[in-house]
Amino acid sequence: QHHSVRPMTAQVFHNMAQPPWIHAFILSAVLALSLNTSHATQNQTLELHGSGTTNPSKFFWKVMDQMEVHARLPIMMTYRAVGSGTGMTEFVGNTANGFQAYSHFGSGDVPMSQDKFEELEKNAGPDQMIHVPFALGAIALFHSVPFDGLQLDACLLSKIFQRKITTWDHADIKAMNPELQVPQGTSIKVVHRVSGSSSTAGLTQYLKTSNDDSSDISCFWDLDTGTTTSWPEGTMPAEPDGSDGVAETIQKNEYAIGYLDSGHGHRMGFKEVALKNKDDRYLVSSAADISAAGNMMGDLPNATADWSGVNLYNKPGPDTWPITMMSYFYIRKDLTALAESGSLLKAFVEYVLSEEGQEEMTAFGFSKVPSTLLDYNNETLRSLILHPDAPAWTYELSSTKAISGMGAYTLSQKRSTYAEYERGLINDQLASLQTGMSSLDDRAAHSLHGSGTTNPSKYFWKLMDIMEERARVPLFMTYRAVGSGTGMKEAAGNEANAWQAFNHFGSGDIPMTEDLHTSVNGAGGEVLHVPFALGAISFFHSIPVSAQPEGGVHLTACLLSQIFQRKIRTWDHEDILAVNPDLKVPAGSPIKVVHRVSGSSSTAGATEYLKTANAQASQACQWELLTGGTITWPSDTFEGLGSDGVAGFLQDNEFSIGYLDAGHGQALSLSEIALQNADGEYLRSDSADIGAAATEALKANILPAEAAASWHNVNLYNQPGAATWPITMMSYFYIRKDLTALGASGTLLKAFIGYVLSEDGQNMATEFQFSKLPPSILEYNADTLNNVVVSQSAPAWVFEEGDESPDVYGGAGNFVLSGKRRSFADYDRERMQAAIDELTSQVAALRATPAPAPAQVHVESDSDDDNAEALGIAALALALIALLLSLFNTYTNCSSSNVGACATPGTTHLKMDDDQTAV
């Protein structure tokens, strides 16, 4: 017979003779027993077990560990990482167990397959399970090819994983990766999962979805899709199976490629393939917006319905990752049979969906689910059927909850274990070491390379030198002066390299040609034009000064057109003399026409101006040759290689004429033609208003509304205005809108362009005979640069101005270009230039001062030319030469390893060989 507590205690105390301390012990034990009979389960261990996809396994294990530590009651929580396919099978059950779940919950990165869902409904009834999406993740391709920046699209991946392409040097791969260098015939080792896996489902369904509409049937995915598939011979099954096996197999085999959840691959430090997304942009998952696909889900099915048709593959968007996966809990809607474990399961899922859980998940390479999906999930969880006696679990997080925090079913963050505490210390130490390693990585040289027009080359070189001197981390910046034609070609790429840029940027004094722009856009790229300066192309000649009219040589666009087309061949032609009646040249003096050879913006500027300016003129004036950076010139003209080649020809050949950027010709003191502008005024570029042409062009809406549009029709030739120069050129950067693949070089390029467009940069441009951009174009450029996409992990470069108060602490940052830093060579060059400028000024002043009358001293001389003035000038010239030699020699010695040469201030050290004589 079952006795109550009261009769038993009476029997103990009245019928048993025991010492008093024994009585007290027995009484306390019985009272404790009586207090706990209504909560007997508190002395039992609550269990929760799940199985499924390996991708979130580390996250699940961490949350489960935390819940076990934070619980007052003993709980045991496990998760078997066996792949989505096995997770589905164990969740659905089978005939042997009456289609009861073998685990409390399942998990997968794909919805329950249609056949499994229908099998469950058929054997266990409708509304048996619900889907709870809890995370967004990315499946990415990783490789062990010794090459950075590998790019592939869905078509190439389809061929590779189906073994239609079996070597890394295949022509299609090389076309997309022209810089890839591998031994001939190097085999591609394709690594794949074996048992059911959501990663396999994600890859195969993506390859099918992305290639279904391809015009190339060889791109079609002909294998099965889903968690398992029959892989072709020659592929490599992961050993051991699972994500870890794929990672291990890639790590052990050079030239391998395989698929993993992106977080796993990044934690292993693997190289990732840049995939081409639906918007034709190449991305790596770390730089993509994983959540973007989640915002395009549309209407979701009922939580208890079949979700097998739901996927986020190949969604549109410039930053959208093409293989985005949604991870799910598979849960039975009726949890009454699980008793208290049912409410523990609900508490686990609620924590994963909480703000803390979603944030914690990002450390494992997942992205949060959209807020709309969280609302959907909360409604779904409210529909779960729990056991009537199942307790509700609560949380004590950062804020202390007195009394309630001690509740039996409260998971408190205030509880921990020493092992948990020690792991935290180790993680802090690891983070500190990683920060140190990152700092060392920052010391690696950051490079930037460009090519293009020769006109701003000296300006670019100076800016690059300044940035290298002001940087705390090593910078390596170069610019090849090769002409606008070559610059735009290298910025566009070609068909052989899938229209990828050969440099970080290009530059030209003319817009990119329409065919190049169209080719880049057709390959999925976007080229932006960023105007950075205004310049002038002018015509220079070498008619002797004695033969020129007092105001110099004047020419019209019509005369220049006839001269350069060889319709007018001599300087004494009646049409030239009509404009220059005082021109005194020998009869029949031939005009020697010199022009650039390779692609040149100067050629484009000169020829397009002559065509534009003469469009409404008489037939004789019409420009009948081609226009552009390279044209076919008449056979009796002369070639000049680059601007220096044209200038050299003009200097060496009398009665010649050629075109140059105005600053170059003026710097060499060449004779400039006075051109007639649109208002009929004759001007030389040094007295014209170069910026006026841009102002007039803005009024006429000549610039495209979008920087990514084609600019091939944009020009500033022959704009109106009394002081407007007729051949004004706008110089451009050619850059890609998407710079993510450039990493730190992408943000360095933005910083370089930003410096060029800054007030300091624009002022410096004038030193090189460029004109500043109008404020409206600077604003246009600012909008353009705001839309340039750079890698999120790349450093942002900032400037500390030299003439402002120092930015204490901030100015010492690794990626601060500080005007407070300089090199001694730069300082010394500046000092020497100041000395030269002062001496030049003194020489000019002396020349302007009349020489004193020579003393009346009779000297026997064979020459009347020996006078005091000539001797004085000669002496002054020698003195200047000696001083400049002294300055140069001092600079050379101070810059060399011979430090002693500078030891004594005010002394000059001349190095002479034995056979040299000091003059």
Side-chain angles (χ1 to χ4, degrees):
Q1 182 180 356
H2 180 73
H3 295 284
S4 68
V5 175
R6 184 178 179 85
M8 186 172 68
T9 55
Q11 182 181 6
V12 169
F13 284 102
H14 292 284
N15 298 336
M16 297 180 66
Q18 298 291 348
W21 67 269
I22 291 291
H23 294 173
F25 173 79
I26 294 173
L27 177 60
S28 62
V30 172
L31 287 173
L33 179 62
S34 68
L35 288 173
N36 283 297
T37 52
S38 61
H39 299 285
T41 56
Q42 292 190 27
N43 294 323
Q44 300 171 357
T45 299
L46 288 180
E47 298 183 19
L48 184 67
H49 305 291
S51 66
T53 171
T54 61
N55 296 339
S57 56
K58 284 85 176 171
F59 171 58
F60 282 175
W61 294 333
K62 181 176 181 180
V63 173
M64 288 176 167
D65 279 358
Q66 290 173 342
M67 291 181 69
E68 288 177 352
V69 168
H70 295 163
R72 175 177 173 176
L73 300 179
I75 59 176
M76 177 184 179
M77 305 173 72
T78 71
Y79 181 77
R80 282 170 61 243
V82 290
S84 296
T86 301
M88 291 180 192
T89 299
E90 293 182 345
F91 176 79
V92 170
N94 52 33
T95 305
N97 79 335
F99 288 92
Q100 299 299 308
Y102 282 87
S103 55
H104 295 121
F105 71 93
S107 180
D109 299 312
V110 288
M112 180 70 66
S113 65
Q114 185 177 8
D115 59 338
K116 289 289 184 187
F117 183 84
E118 291 175 350
E119 185 179 24
L120 181 61
E121 276 203 333
K122 177 182 177 181
N123 293 282
D127 297 335
Q128 286 295 309
M129 69 163 290
I130 60 172
H131 285 81
V132 181
F134 67 86
L136 298 176
I139 300 300
L141 282 298
F142 295 92
H143 67 93
S144 55
V145 180
F147 175 70
D148 292 325
L150 183 64
Q151 298 184 150
L152 296 173
D153 61 10
C155 178
L156 281 179
L157 282 172
S158 175
K159 294 177 181 179
I160 288 170
F161 276 81
Q162 292 182 99
R163 305 299 287 160
K164 296 176 182 179
I165 291 178
T166 58
T167 64
W168 284 113
D169 61 345
H170 189 279
D172 292 351
I173 297 177
K174 290 284 288 180
M176 200 166 287
N177 300 273
E179 297 181 7
L180 175 64
Q181 299 293 331
V182 295
Q184 184 176 1
T186 302
S187 295
I188 301 175
K189 301 172 184 176
V190 173
V191 184
H192 61 83
R193 293 280 291 269
V194 180
S195 58
S197 159
S198 55
S199 302
T200 302
L203 177 71
T204 57
Q205 289 169 3
Y206 156 70
L207 293 177
K208 179 172 178 57
T209 302
S210 302
N211 291 302
D212 274 351
D213 297 328
S214 175
S215 58
D216 182 357
I217 61 172
S218 66
C219 300
F220 288 177
W221 182 254
D222 300 321
L223 305 182
D224 294 333
T225 62
T227 57
T228 58
T229 192
S230 298
W231 294 99
E233 290 186 11
T235 57
M236 299 180 69
E239 294 182 4
D241 192 19
S243 296
D244 290 335
V246 172
E248 188 175 330
T249 307
I250 293 174
Q251 200 169 35
K252 288 181 177 179
N253 292 273
E254 197 174 28
Y255 297 105
I257 185 172
Y259 52 94
L260 286 166
D261 67 282
S262 63
H264 195 153
H266 292 145
R267 285 192 298 273
M268 297 293 293
F270 290 158
K271 296 176 183 177
E272 184 179 354
V273 175
L275 290 187
K276 191 176 185 180
N277 71 4
K278 192 174 182 66
D279 279 26
D280 293 329
R281 289 186 59 203
Y282 289 96
L283 297 169
V284 291
S285 59
S286 58
D289 184 356
I290 307 301
S291 61
N295 293 322
M296 302 177 192
M297 288 183 298
D299 295 332
L300 292 175
N302 183 284
T304 58
D306 179 5
W307 281 53
S308 60
V310 176
N311 73 71
L312 302 178
Y313 306 127
N314 216 34
K315 296 293 184 183
D319 301 317
T320 304
W321 184 247
I323 322 180
T324 300
M325 309 285 287
M326 193 146 61
S327 298
Y328 302 88
F329 286 110
Y330 310 135
I331 304 174
R332 295 293 175 107
K333 184 174 182 178
D334 186 350
L335 300 178
T336 53
L338 300 187
E340 292 184 340
S341 292
S343 60
L344 181 59
L345 169 58
K346 185 182 178 186
F348 172 64
V349 175
E350 286 175 337
Y351 181 80
V352 170
L353 297 175
S354 71
E355 185 177 346
E356 292 82 4
Q358 290 286 292
E359 186 63 38
E360 196 172 333
M361 190 169 56
T362 60
F364 293 85
F366 290 96
S367 294
K368 304 175 185 178
V369 295
S371 58
T372 53
L373 195 53
L374 288 175
D375 294 338
Y376 179 97
N377 286 334
N378 290 332
E379 192 66 32
T380 299
L381 292 179
R382 280 193 285 270
S383 71
L384 290 175
I385 304 172
L386 300 174
H387 191 282
D389 296 331
W393 292 79
T394 60
Y395 291 90
E396 181 184 41
L397 300 177
S398 55
S399 299
T400 301
K401 297 180 178 179
I403 302 176
S404 64
M406 279 298 295
Y409 297 98
T410 297
L411 297 164
S412 173
Q413 286 187 355
K414 308 298 180 180
R415 295 189 182 94
S416 190
T417 64
Y418 183 75
E420 188 77 10
Y421 161 75
E422 194 168 37
R423 277 199 300 270
L425 289 180
I426 293 171
N427 277 329
D428 290 343
Q429 293 170 352
L430 180 60
S432 177
L433 289 171
Q434 288 172 335
T435 300
M437 288 296 295
S438 176
S439 178
L440 291 174
D441 289 341
D442 290 342
R443 304 301 302 172
H446 299 277
S447 62
L448 182 68
H449 305 292
S451 67
T453 170
T454 61
N455 297 338
S457 57
K458 299 164 186 69
Y459 172 47
F460 282 175
W461 294 333
K462 181 173 182 177
L463 288 175
M464 288 176 168
D465 279 357
I466 290 173
M467 290 181 68
E468 288 176 349
E469 291 166 356
R470 293 183 177 182
R472 176 170 175 169
V473 297
L475 299 185
F476 181 49
M477 305 172 72
T478 70
Y479 180 76
R480 281 170 59 240
V482 290
S484 296
T486 301
M488 68 176 67
K489 288 175 183 176
E490 293 182 345
N494 54 33
E495 191 172 0
N497 82 332
W499 299 101
Q500 299 298 307
F502 285 89
N503 286 314
H504 298 122
F505 71 93
S507 178
D509 300 312
I510 50 176
M512 182 173 284
T513 61
E514 184 178 19
D515 58 338
L516 285 176
H517 186 271
T518 301
S519 296
V520 174
N521 279 11
E526 283 186 278
V527 175
L528 304 179
H529 284 75
V530 182
F532 67 85
L534 298 173
I537 300 300
S538 191
F539 291 88
F540 294 86
H541 67 92
S542 56
I543 297 173
V545 175
S546 59
Q548 296 181 33
E550 184 176 347
V553 178
H554 292 54
L555 292 176
T556 64
C558 177
L559 288 172
L560 285 167
S561 173
Q562 294 181 79
I563 288 170
F564 276 79
Q565 292 183 98
R566 307 303 285 152
K567 296 177 182 180
I568 293 178
R569 296 172 176 267
T570 63
W571 283 111
D572 60 345
H573 189 280
E574 59 181 350
D575 292 348
I576 295 178
L577 293 177
V579 178
N580 299 273
D582 296 329
L583 180 63
K584 310 296 184 185
V585 294
S589 296
I591 301 175
K592 302 172 185 175
V593 172
V594 60
H595 58 80
R596 290 282 292 270
V597 183
S598 56
S600 158
S601 56
S602 302
T603 302
T607 57
E608 289 169 4
Y609 157 69
L610 293 175
K611 182 177 181 64
T612 302
N614 291 300
Q616 305 301 321
S618 66
Q619 185 61 41
C621 301
Q622 296 286 315
W623 182 256
E624 297 168 352
L625 304 182
L626 296 176
T627 62
T630 305
I631 72 166
T632 301
W633 292 95
S635 59
D636 58 345
T637 56
F638 297 89
E639 296 180 345
L641 183 59
S643 297
D644 291 333
V646 172
F649 186 91
L650 291 169
Q651 289 172 320
D652 295 340
N653 295 272
E654 282 190 339
F655 299 107
S656 56
I657 186 172
Y659 51 87
L660 286 167
D661 66 283
H664 193 157
Q666 291 163 8
L668 295 174
S669 300
L670 298 176
S671 296
E672 186 176 359
I673 299 288
L675 291 185
Q676 188 182 46
N677 69 7
D679 278 23
E681 300 291 335
Y682 286 95
L683 299 168
R684 292 187 181 85
S685 60
D686 56 357
S687 61
D689 184 352
I690 306 301
T695 302
E696 295 295 333
L698 285 169
K699 290 179 184 177
N701 295 319
I702 289 177
L703 299 187
E706 296 290 337
S710 176
W711 286 50
H712 70 280
N713 284 326
V714 174
N715 72 70
L716 306 181
Y717 307 129
N718 221 37
Q719 294 295 317
T724 303
W725 182 248
I727 324 179
T728 299
M729 307 285 286
M730 195 144 58
S731 297
Y732 304 89
F733 287 109
Y734 313 129
I735 65 172
R736 296 300 174 98
K737 183 177 181 180
D738 183 1
L739 302 178
T740 52
L742 301 186
S745 293
T747 52
L748 182 58
L749 173 56
K750 280 192 73 173
F752 175 63
I753 295 175
Y755 188 25
V756 170
L757 298 176
S758 70
E759 184 177 354
D760 284 349
Q762 290 289 289
N763 287 336
M764 200 180 301
T766 63
E767 299 173 16
F768 295 86
Q769 288 75 48
F770 288 100
S771 294
K772 302 179 186 178
L773 293 173
S776 51
I777 295 184
L778 290 174
E779 292 173 8
Y780 180 100
N781 286 336
D783 290 339
T784 298
L785 293 177
N786 284 338
N787 291 317
V788 170
V789 182
V790 295
S791 171
Q792 295 177 352
S793 61
W797 300 83
V798 295
F799 291 85
E800 180 184 39
E801 301 300 332
D803 56 355
E804 296 178 358
S805 298
D807 178 7
V808 181
Y809 308 129
N814 281 342
F815 302 102
V816 176
L817 299 165
S818 174
K820 308 294 183 184
R821 294 189 184 96
R822 294 186 70 183
S823 69
F824 179 75
D826 181 48
Y827 156 76
D828 215 25
R829 283 195 299 268
E830 190 175 279
R831 180 182 65 82
M832 291 173 66
Q833 185 61 51
I836 290 171
D837 291 343
E838 176 64 23
L839 289 170
T840 302
S841 177
Q842 292 177 16
V843 169
L846 287 171
R847 285 177 173 169
T849 303
Q856 299 298 314
V857 178
H858 179 73
V859 179
E860 294 288 339
S861 173
D862 294 333
S863 171
D864 294 333
D865 295 332
D866 294 338
N867 54 59
E869 183 179 2
L871 289 172
I873 292 174
L876 177 61
L878 286 172
L880 288 173
I881 292 170
L883 180 57
L884 291 174
L885 284 172
S886 171
L887 285 171
F888 178 75
N889 195 67
T890 302
Y891 168 72
T892 303
N893 287 330
C894 291
S895 301
S896 69
S897 59
N898 184 15
V899 179
C902 302
T904 307
T907 61
T908 301
H909 303 269
L910 293 176
K911 291 179 66 177
M912 293 188 295
D913 296 329
D914 293 338
D915 59 347
Q916 288 182 312
T917 303
V919 178

